[in-house]
Amino acid sequence: MQTETYIPRRLDDQWKIGFWDVDVAAPILFCFFVGYMSGSKLSFAVCMGIGIFLSRWLSRIKADKHPAFAMHWIYWCLPPNPLTTMQGTPPSHLRRMVG
């Protein structure tokens, strides 16, 4: 009685918007919104250019790193506030490793 056991490998994939990860698509979407709200075509084009530049920069940074690299970077580099603090982890200013 030999049956093949299927082990799924994609349970913890990053969220996607189309073909892009959420953290790569977020700068484009945010800049699209800001450019749309500005009301002029020139500022819309400038905002979209900035958004495309930021998303390409972010995708190059995370190219050979952990899939959640952007969240880890945000946690360690941004100041703690209610939006960036996590409940189950120590504050980011405690850098001493125990163990």
Side-chain angles (χ1 to χ4, degrees), residues 25-86:
I28 291 177
L29 294 175
F30 178 74
C31 289
F32 178 84
F33 177 73
V34 170
Y36 179 74
M37 294 303 288
S38 67
S40 76
K41 292 179 183 178
L42 178 63
S43 62
F44 179 76
V46 168
C47 287
M48 284 304 295
I50 291 170
I52 290 170
F53 171 76
L54 288 175
S55 70
R56 291 194 46 105
W57 176 73
L58 184 61
S59 66
R60 286 184 182 156
I61 285 177
K62 25 174 299 192
D64 293 328
K65 294 181 177 59
H66 190 271
F69 169 75
M71 180 171 292
H72 295 223
W73 183 84
I74 287 171
Y75 175 74
W76 286 108
C77 294
L78 291 182
N81 63 36
L83 296 176
T84 60
T85 57
M86 296 182 193

